[in-house]
Amino acid sequence: MESTPQSVNFDRAADIYDATRALPPDVQEALTVRLLELLSDVDRVLEVGIGTGRISRPLAARGRRVCGVDISPLMLQQLTVQLEAGHERPDLALADATRLPFADDSFGAALSFHVVHLIPDWERALDEACRVIGDGGRFIYYRQRDEYKRWMDSHDKLGELLGRRGFTRRKRPTVEEIDEKLRSLGGTVEVEDVAEVEERVTPAELLADTKARTHSWSWEIPDDLFWDFMPEYEEWIKAHWAMDEPRVDTIIHELRVWSFG
């Protein structure tokens, strides 16, 4: 019997997560301020995939009561050691997003930041989030939009190289598919662009991050296959781009605020 794909566990990245995924300070502040406004009438907030608390720790530092779940014990450990004396200490649970250990209507709102696409059974995870917030609850889903999709040709090349070796990457849900699911559960959405940042990354930096396997998309690829295709991928990058010339994109930090009931 074929096993069910598991959600991506970030234990392997716990020590480097905040250093490699940190938001620019002004973006972090803008998101925190806006979330506090959106949650001002909510007594208890759940973050699904709370990780190291990149989003929830700033909320807890300003007195917001947060509960968080994650499947990575090492990420939760990193969160705990970074809490300061003034933080409202989050209630934490080691749990899967598809099986939340809470009763119906336990929270006024749930947050999901860079998580839904990591869950193979993402539709069930959304069912669970909506179950625990119930009627009148809010589900706040965050994403980053890269306006010019500067690395799309690189992503296409990766898919080609892997396909030639008989490997197909797991299909991740699009924002349109996530929206369709939430709409089917009775939600209505308001979309907010909270911050806009110009990001400059060189192909050399992209290649270094890829070879270091910093980001989760690479973890599903078996080690032997990863290092088999990497020389060809590196050669292609060097042939197509000036390695130290930054490629520029505008990154939009977006909140999709779903209301139910």
Side-chain angles (χ1 to χ4, degrees), residues 9 35 68 114 169 224 245:
N9 187 310
L35 286 172
H114 280 159
R169 292 166 63 186
D224 56 347
E245 183 177 318

Side-chain angles (χ1 to χ4, degrees), residues 153-154 157 161 231-241:
D153 42 1
S154 167
K157 187 63 179 181
L161 294 174
E232 190 174 353
Y233 178 63
E234 181 172 357
E235 181 181 353
W236 181 87
I237 287 180
K238 289 179 177 178
H240 282 75
W241 298 322

Side-chain angles (χ1 to χ4, degrees), residues 140-156:
I140 302 177
Y141 169 58
Y142 162 87
R143 70 167 185 144
Q144 294 180 12
R145 297 196 322 266
D146 49 331
E147 289 294 274
Y148 305 112
K149 302 189 184 304
R150 66 194 143 158
W151 303 119
M152 188 57 66
D153 42 1
S154 167
H155 296 164
D156 292 343

Side-chain angles (χ1 to χ4, degrees), residues 13-87:
D15 290 340
I16 63 168
Y17 185 85
D18 288 335
T20 56
R21 273 74 165 185
L23 296 169
D26 55 339
V27 174
Q28 181 74 68
E29 177 65 11
L31 283 170
T32 299
V33 168
R34 186 60 186 132
L35 286 172
L36 288 170
E37 293 170 348
L38 290 167
L39 301 171
S40 62
D41 60 343
V42 174
D43 177 59
R44 193 167 180 233
V45 179
L46 172 68
E47 184 175 1
V48 180
I50 194 171
T52 62
R54 179 182 63 162
I55 302 303
S56 284
R57 271 188 289 113
L59 299 178
R62 302 188 190 190
R64 173 58 53 190
R65 187 181 176 199
V66 178
C67 177
V69 299
D70 206 285
I71 61 171
S72 166
L74 295 184
M75 292 284 276
L76 293 179
Q77 181 179 324
Q78 285 291 325
L79 185 159
T80 301
V81 300
Q82 293 182 82
L83 291 173
E84 299 175 1
H87 284 81

Side-chain angles (χ1 to χ4, degrees), residues 165 213 221-231:
R165 291 162 171 80
R213 306 186 78 168
I221 304 170
D223 288 347
D224 56 347
L225 177 57
F226 184 87
W227 294 113
D228 178 70
F229 87 82
M230 183 52 61

